Every structure is written in structure tokens, then in C-alpha cells.
Amino acid sequence: MRAREKIALAMERLLEQKELDSITVSEIIAEAQVARKTFYRNFCDKYDLMNWYYDHFYQDSFGSIVLGASFEDALLLCLEIYDSKRTLLKNAYSSKDINGLKNHDIEITRKIYETCLQQKGADIASEQMRFAIEIAVRGGSDMVMQWILGNWEMPAERLASLICETLPKEIKKYL
């Protein structure tokens, strides 16, 4: 197993037990059984590690809209993965750090929307589309985070359906 994956699995195990902000790099390297310099050769800090870990399953699920998957199917796949990793993600999203998962989630989701919409001919530079993208990204990401945190009790299918139904019309016409 490569060092990155070994370190990510250690982080995954630790996040099942406690919040990201309370996990130390020393705990991660002890759990992964790697040297400190191995950790820092691969990641800047624990937030960089968390974001790398997140990117892998997020790109393969929601990110698949860029490859032609339907928006709702990609979103549902993403939510199913989230549900299977609920405790881990709850502990990651609880971070108050500026480099935490909340901000990274918004950034990567914005890039996926922009790429997908641009591929489908949308003018993503227009003021109206930029605003619609921000509403979709921030609103959708926040609702998913609230669902992960247990503030919205509903099946993944219902959440995906509600997000799709409430997308701004400027975006819906391209998806």
C-alpha cells in the first residue's frame, strides 16, 4: 500500500472516533505507522490530507457529471457514499479551521458545476449564472452538511430529489 493511502486510512480510523480539529499529526503517523517526514512529504497538514481523501470519492461520484452522468444520479451516488461515511464526515465537517472540509467542499463543488455547465454551453462568466452557481453550490453543500450532521432526517434519495428540484432555473436548463 502506498504511503498516501496508508495515511488516509489512518485518518479515516481516527475520524470514526473524534473530530478533525482534535486529531494531531502525531496521532495520524502513529496510527499509520509512518515517519513524520513521510507524512509531510505527502501532505501539508491534516486538512490537506482530509481534502485529498474527500476528493477521491467526491470526484468519482458527484464529479462524474463532468463525464456525462446525470446530475441526480451523480448526486445520489455521492450521498450514498456520504451516508456510509456519516460519522467520519460529521467529524470532518465539524472543523472550524479555514482550511477545513466545509470550504474545500464549496470550492470543489463550484469547479464541478462550472466545468459541467461550460461543457453544456452555459456562459459561466455572466453575472446571473455566477450568482446561480453560488446559490446552487452554497445551498446544496450546506443542506448536505446539515443532513450529515443529522439536522435533516430523510433518505438520500429524497435529499437528492429536493436539491435537483430547487436548483436555480438558469442551471436546470443545462442539466
Side-chain angles (χ1 to χ4, degrees), residues 82-93:
Y82 275 31
D83 203 23
S84 72
K85 298 177 179 288
R86 186 175 290 266
T87 301
L88 177 154
L89 288 171
K90 189 175 189 176
N91 286 333
Y93 277 122

Side-chain angles (χ1 to χ4, degrees), residues 117-118 120-130 133 174:
L117 291 168
Q118 201 165 30
K120 295 181 184 242
D123 176 11
I124 65 166
S126 76
E127 179 183 49
Q128 191 169 11
M129 184 57 83
R130 298 239 38 95
I133 290 169
Y174 290 98

Side-chain angles (χ1 to χ4, degrees), residues 58 93 105-106 109 136-146:
Y58 193 72
Y93 277 122
D105 181 328
I106 289 168
T109 302
V137 168
R138 292 178 183 278
S141 291
D142 192 61
M143 296 310 291
V144 170
M145 284 181 234
Q146 293 303 315

